Amino acid sequence: MIVLYVFIAFILLVLGGIVLAIALVIRKEGQARAARQQILATGKAAKALVEGVGPSAKGRFVHTVRLTVRPTHGASFPTLIEVFVPPYATGVIAPGREIDVRYSESKTVVVDFEAMGYTQPN
């Protein structure tokens, strides 16, 4: 009987750890989403040249994108970002294309799909 209790306690401990890990990932993604929204609302607008696009481990519509950001004032700078490209904006992120971005003082860059005319259909 004690073996059964130990086994149940072990299973609950393992499940608790899994639930905690999932909760931490969800929290981190929520914080990243809030940071992106903040940059879109308050960041500086710029154009960026897409230098390269590759796959990401985060999912089918997420791409790793190498950009050269070209601010209106100041020097250009390179960056590597992960971008969720919604299905309604497929093809907008491609090597050689110029895209609209916004960036923060720390040079965190977010693609500005809305500025390029890509809005989620109703």
Side-chain angles (χ1 to χ4, degrees):
M1 194 60 137
I2 290 182
V3 172
L4 179 61
Y5 291 138
V6 169
F7 179 74
I8 290 171
F10 176 75
I11 294 298
L12 290 175
L13 184 63
V14 169
L15 288 176
I18 291 170
V19 168
L20 179 62
I22 291 170
L24 290 174
V25 167
I26 290 170
R27 180 178 177 207
K28 184 177 177 182
E29 286 298 319
Q31 290 171 337
R33 184 177 302 114
R36 285 190 302 271
Q37 291 300 324
Q38 180 69 22
I39 293 169
L40 285 171
T42 63
K44 296 177 184 176
K47 297 288 186 182
L49 178 65
V50 179
E51 303 286 351
V53 179
S56 170
K58 290 189 175 180
R60 186 170 123 192
F61 295 109
V62 179
H63 305 283
T64 300
V65 181
R66 194 168 22 92
L67 300 170
T68 298
V69 179
R70 300 172 175 162
T72 306
H73 303 289
S76 297
F77 61 92
T79 191
L80 185 68
I81 61 173
E82 286 194 329
V83 179
F84 171 77
V85 181
Y88 56 84
T90 301
V92 70
I93 307 292
R97 294 217 40 196
E98 186 175 74
I99 61 173
D100 290 302
V101 297
R102 290 197 166 265
Y103 67 97
S104 67
E105 292 295 324
S106 65
K107 296 189 178 174
T108 302
V109 177
V110 177
V111 176
D112 192 348
F113 288 103
E114 191 172 318
M116 293 184 288
Y118 294 93
T119 57
Q120 187 169 5
N122 292 333

PDB file of all heavy atoms in Angstrom, residues 89-109:
ATOM      1  N   ALA A  89      -0.777  37.283 -44.674  1.00  0.00           N
ATOM      2  CA  ALA A  89       0.372  38.091 -45.105  1.00  0.00           C
ATOM      3  C   ALA A  89       1.482  37.207 -45.679  1.00  0.00           C
ATOM      4  O   ALA A  89       2.632  37.613 -45.747  1.00  0.00           O
ATOM      5  CB  ALA A  89       0.895  38.913 -43.937  1.00  0.00           C
ATOM      6  N   THR A  90       1.129  36.013 -46.114  1.00  0.00           N
ATOM      7  CA  THR A  90       2.113  35.094 -46.669  1.00  0.00           C
ATOM      8  C   THR A  90       2.833  35.737 -47.851  1.00  0.00           C
ATOM      9  O   THR A  90       2.230  36.358 -48.703  1.00  0.00           O
ATOM     10  CB  THR A  90       1.421  33.791 -47.124  1.00  0.00           C
ATOM     11  OG1 THR A  90       0.769  33.215 -45.999  1.00  0.00           O
ATOM     12  CG2 THR A  90       2.415  32.804 -47.687  1.00  0.00           C
ATOM     13  N   GLY A  91       4.123  35.616 -47.880  1.00  0.00           N
ATOM     14  CA  GLY A  91       4.925  36.144 -48.975  1.00  0.00           C
ATOM     15  C   GLY A  91       5.507  37.524 -48.727  1.00  0.00           C
ATOM     16  O   GLY A  91       6.347  37.982 -49.495  1.00  0.00           O
ATOM     17  N   VAL A  92       5.052  38.215 -47.695  1.00  0.00           N
ATOM     18  CA  VAL A  92       5.558  39.561 -47.448  1.00  0.00           C
ATOM     19  C   VAL A  92       7.005  39.539 -46.950  1.00  0.00           C
ATOM     20  O   VAL A  92       7.768  40.445 -47.227  1.00  0.00           O
ATOM     21  CB  VAL A  92       4.650  40.344 -46.474  1.00  0.00           C
ATOM     22  CG1 VAL A  92       4.732  39.808 -45.067  1.00  0.00           C
ATOM     23  CG2 VAL A  92       4.993  41.814 -46.489  1.00  0.00           C
ATOM     24  N   ILE A  93       7.380  38.484 -46.236  1.00  0.00           N
ATOM     25  CA  ILE A  93       8.740  38.368 -45.718  1.00  0.00           C
ATOM     26  C   ILE A  93       9.521  37.450 -46.660  1.00  0.00           C
ATOM     27  O   ILE A  93       9.378  36.236 -46.619  1.00  0.00           O
ATOM     28  CB  ILE A  93       8.752  37.775 -44.287  1.00  0.00           C
ATOM     29  CG1 ILE A  93       7.838  38.536 -43.354  1.00  0.00           C
ATOM     30  CG2 ILE A  93      10.175  37.700 -43.756  1.00  0.00           C
ATOM     31  CD1 ILE A  93       8.265  39.932 -43.025  1.00  0.00           C
ATOM     32  N   ALA A  94      10.332  38.054 -47.517  1.00  0.00           N
ATOM     33  CA  ALA A  94      11.120  37.289 -48.483  1.00  0.00           C
ATOM     34  C   ALA A  94      12.437  38.025 -48.724  1.00  0.00           C
ATOM     35  O   ALA A  94      12.476  39.256 -48.681  1.00  0.00           O
ATOM     36  CB  ALA A  94      10.346  37.135 -49.787  1.00  0.00           C
ATOM     37  N   PRO A  95      13.507  37.281 -48.976  1.00  0.00           N
ATOM     38  CA  PRO A  95      14.794  37.921 -49.220  1.00  0.00           C
ATOM     39  C   PRO A  95      14.707  38.959 -50.348  1.00  0.00           C
ATOM     40  O   PRO A  95      14.061  38.741 -51.368  1.00  0.00           O
ATOM     41  CB  PRO A  95      15.704  36.751 -49.625  1.00  0.00           C
ATOM     42  CG  PRO A  95      15.090  35.571 -48.939  1.00  0.00           C
ATOM     43  CD  PRO A  95      13.605  35.824 -49.003  1.00  0.00           C
ATOM     44  N   GLY A  96      15.350  40.106 -50.099  1.00  0.00           N
ATOM     45  CA  GLY A  96      15.360  41.177 -51.072  1.00  0.00           C
ATOM     46  C   GLY A  96      14.210  42.161 -50.953  1.00  0.00           C
ATOM     47  O   GLY A  96      14.242  43.229 -51.553  1.00  0.00           O
ATOM     48  N   ARG A  97      13.203  41.826 -50.160  1.00  0.00           N
ATOM     49  CA  ARG A  97      12.054  42.723 -49.992  1.00  0.00           C
ATOM     50  C   ARG A  97      12.343  43.753 -48.911  1.00  0.00           C
ATOM     51  O   ARG A  97      13.035  43.480 -47.940  1.00  0.00           O
ATOM     52  CB  ARG A  97      10.799  41.929 -49.596  1.00  0.00           C
ATOM     53  CG  ARG A  97      10.372  41.015 -50.722  1.00  0.00           C
ATOM     54  CD  ARG A  97       8.955  40.823 -50.948  1.00  0.00           C
ATOM     55  NE  ARG A  97       8.086  41.968 -50.831  1.00  0.00           N
ATOM     56  CZ  ARG A  97       6.780  41.852 -50.710  1.00  0.00           C
ATOM     57  NH1 ARG A  97       6.227  40.671 -50.667  1.00  0.00           N
ATOM     58  NH2 ARG A  97       6.027  42.908 -50.623  1.00  0.00           N
ATOM     59  N   GLU A  98      11.765  44.923 -49.092  1.00  0.00           N
ATOM     60  CA  GLU A  98      11.846  45.965 -48.076  1.00  0.00           C
ATOM     61  C   GLU A  98      10.530  45.948 -47.312  1.00  0.00           C
ATOM     62  O   GLU A  98       9.459  45.917 -47.922  1.00  0.00           O
ATOM     63  CB  GLU A  98      12.069  47.331 -48.722  1.00  0.00           C
ATOM     64  CG  GLU A  98      12.304  48.422 -47.699  1.00  0.00           C
ATOM     65  CD  GLU A  98      12.644  49.746 -48.353  1.00  0.00           C
ATOM     66  OE1 GLU A  98      11.727  50.373 -48.914  1.00  0.00           O
ATOM     67  OE2 GLU A  98      13.819  50.123 -48.290  1.00  0.00           O
ATOM     68  N   ILE A  99      10.621  45.948 -45.995  1.00  0.00           N
ATOM     69  CA  ILE A  99       9.431  45.873 -45.157  1.00  0.00           C
ATOM     70  C   ILE A  99       9.436  47.013 -44.144  1.00  0.00           C
ATOM     71  O   ILE A  99      10.465  47.637 -43.900  1.00  0.00           O
ATOM     72  CB  ILE A  99       9.331  44.511 -44.432  1.00  0.00           C
ATOM     73  CG1 ILE A  99      10.541  44.294 -43.508  1.00  0.00           C
ATOM     74  CG2 ILE A  99       9.183  43.374 -45.433  1.00  0.00           C
ATOM     75  CD1 ILE A  99      10.441  43.064 -42.643  1.00  0.00           C
ATOM     76  N   ASP A 100       8.261  47.262 -43.568  1.00  0.00           N
ATOM     77  CA  ASP A 100       8.135  48.252 -42.509  1.00  0.00           C
ATOM     78  C   ASP A 100       8.355  47.582 -41.162  1.00  0.00           C
ATOM     79  O   ASP A 100       7.831  46.493 -40.912  1.00  0.00           O
ATOM     80  CB  ASP A 100       6.739  48.889 -42.532  1.00  0.00           C
ATOM     81  CG  ASP A 100       6.538  49.779 -43.737  1.00  0.00           C
ATOM     82  OD1 ASP A 100       7.314  50.722 -43.892  1.00  0.00           O
ATOM     83  OD2 ASP A 100       5.600  49.520 -44.517  1.00  0.00           O
ATOM     84  N   VAL A 101       9.120  48.247 -40.323  1.00  0.00           N
ATOM     85  CA  VAL A 101       9.367  47.754 -38.967  1.00  0.00           C
ATOM     86  C   VAL A 101       9.262  48.911 -37.993  1.00  0.00           C
ATOM     87  O   VAL A 101       9.215  50.078 -38.385  1.00  0.00           O
ATOM     88  CB  VAL A 101      10.770  47.092 -38.839  1.00  0.00           C
ATOM     89  CG1 VAL A 101      10.878  45.871 -39.717  1.00  0.00           C
ATOM     90  CG2 VAL A 101      11.884  48.079 -39.118  1.00  0.00           C
ATOM     91  N   ARG A 102       9.219  48.576 -36.734  1.00  0.00           N
ATOM     92  CA  ARG A 102       9.348  49.536 -35.643  1.00  0.00           C
ATOM     93  C   ARG A 102      10.408  48.970 -34.716  1.00  0.00           C
ATOM     94  O   ARG A 102      10.537  47.765 -34.562  1.00  0.00           O
ATOM     95  CB  ARG A 102       8.029  49.732 -34.919  1.00  0.00           C
ATOM     96  CG  ARG A 102       7.020  50.477 -35.778  1.00  0.00           C
ATOM     97  CD  ARG A 102       5.888  51.035 -34.929  1.00  0.00           C
ATOM     98  NE  ARG A 102       5.135  51.992 -35.702  1.00  0.00           N
ATOM     99  CZ  ARG A 102       5.325  53.308 -35.686  1.00  0.00           C
ATOM    100  NH1 ARG A 102       6.231  53.831 -34.896  1.00  0.00           N
ATOM    101  NH2 ARG A 102       4.597  54.107 -36.426  1.00  0.00           N
ATOM    102  N   TYR A 103      11.161  49.878 -34.092  1.00  0.00           N
ATOM    103  CA  TYR A 103      12.215  49.418 -33.193  1.00  0.00           C
ATOM    104  C   TYR A 103      12.266  50.286 -31.952  1.00  0.00           C
ATOM    105  O   TYR A 103      11.863  51.446 -31.953  1.00  0.00           O
ATOM    106  CB  TYR A 103      13.576  49.375 -33.900  1.00  0.00           C
ATOM    107  CG  TYR A 103      14.124  50.721 -34.301  1.00  0.00           C
ATOM    108  CD1 TYR A 103      15.053  51.384 -33.505  1.00  0.00           C
ATOM    109  CD2 TYR A 103      13.715  51.339 -35.483  1.00  0.00           C
ATOM    110  CE1 TYR A 103      15.556  52.616 -33.866  1.00  0.00           C
ATOM    111  CE2 TYR A 103      14.216  52.559 -35.860  1.00  0.00           C
ATOM    112  CZ  TYR A 103      15.134  53.203 -35.056  1.00  0.00           C
ATOM    113  OH  TYR A 103      15.631  54.424 -35.417  1.00  0.00           O
ATOM    114  N   SER A 104      12.771  49.676 -30.887  1.00  0.00           N
ATOM    115  CA  SER A 104      12.890  50.368 -29.600  1.00  0.00           C
ATOM    116  C   SER A 104      14.266  50.987 -29.467  1.00  0.00           C
ATOM    117  O   SER A 104      15.143  50.790 -30.317  1.00  0.00           O
ATOM    118  CB  SER A 104      12.657  49.370 -28.461  1.00  0.00           C
ATOM    119  OG  SER A 104      13.716  48.432 -28.434  1.00  0.00           O
ATOM    120  N   GLU A 105      14.471  51.716 -28.374  1.00  0.00           N
ATOM    121  CA  GLU A 105      15.781  52.311 -28.087  1.00  0.00           C
ATOM    122  C   GLU A 105      16.868  51.231 -27.985  1.00  0.00           C
ATOM    123  O   GLU A 105      18.013  51.462 -28.342  1.00  0.00           O
ATOM    124  CB  GLU A 105      15.737  53.124 -26.790  1.00  0.00           C
ATOM    125  CG  GLU A 105      14.885  54.381 -26.889  1.00  0.00           C
ATOM    126  CD  GLU A 105      15.439  55.408 -27.870  1.00  0.00           C
ATOM    127  OE1 GLU A 105      16.682  55.539 -27.968  1.00  0.00           O
ATOM    128  OE2 GLU A 105      14.635  56.072 -28.534  1.00  0.00           O
ATOM    129  N   SER A 106      16.488  50.046 -27.508  1.00  0.00           N
ATOM    130  CA  SER A 106      17.444  48.946 -27.374  1.00  0.00           C
ATOM    131  C   SER A 106      17.617  48.180 -28.684  1.00  0.00           C
ATOM    132  O   SER A 106      18.268  47.133 -28.712  1.00  0.00           O
ATOM    133  CB  SER A 106      17.002  47.994 -26.267  1.00  0.00           C
ATOM    134  OG  SER A 106      15.773  47.385 -26.634  1.00  0.00           O
ATOM    135  N   LYS A 107      17.001  48.695 -29.749  1.00  0.00           N
ATOM    136  CA  LYS A 107      17.062  48.108 -31.093  1.00  0.00           C
ATOM    137  C   LYS A 107      16.391  46.746 -31.179  1.00  0.00           C
ATOM    138  O   LYS A 107      16.791  45.886 -31.959  1.00  0.00           O
ATOM    139  CB  LYS A 107      18.494  48.075 -31.603  1.00  0.00           C
ATOM    140  CG  LYS A 107      19.060  49.473 -31.771  1.00  0.00           C
ATOM    141  CD  LYS A 107      20.376  49.478 -32.470  1.00  0.00           C
ATOM    142  CE  LYS A 107      20.838  50.925 -32.636  1.00  0.00           C
ATOM    143  NZ  LYS A 107      22.161  51.042 -33.183  1.00  0.00           N
ATOM    144  N   THR A 108      15.355  46.553 -30.378  1.00  0.00           N
ATOM    145  CA  THR A 108      14.488  45.401 -30.540  1.00  0.00           C
ATOM    146  C   THR A 108      13.537  45.730 -31.679  1.00  0.00           C
ATOM    147  O   THR A 108      12.900  46.778 -31.675  1.00  0.00           O
ATOM    148  CB  THR A 108      13.711  45.113 -29.246  1.00  0.00           C
ATOM    149  OG1 THR A 108      14.644  44.900 -28.185  1.00  0.00           O
ATOM    150  CG2 THR A 108      12.812  43.904 -29.406  1.00  0.00           C
ATOM    151  N   VAL A 109      13.454  44.844 -32.662  1.00  0.00           N
ATOM    152  CA  VAL A 109      12.729  45.130 -33.901  1.00  0.00           C
ATOM    153  C   VAL A 109      11.484  44.263 -34.009  1.00  0.00           C
ATOM    154  O   VAL A 109      11.506  43.068 -33.690  1.00  0.00           O
ATOM    155  CB  VAL A 109      13.648  44.884 -35.123  1.00  0.00           C
ATOM    156  CG1 VAL A 109      12.907  45.091 -36.428  1.00  0.00           C
ATOM    157  CG2 VAL A 109      14.873  45.785 -35.045  1.00  0.00           C
TER     158      VAL A 109
END
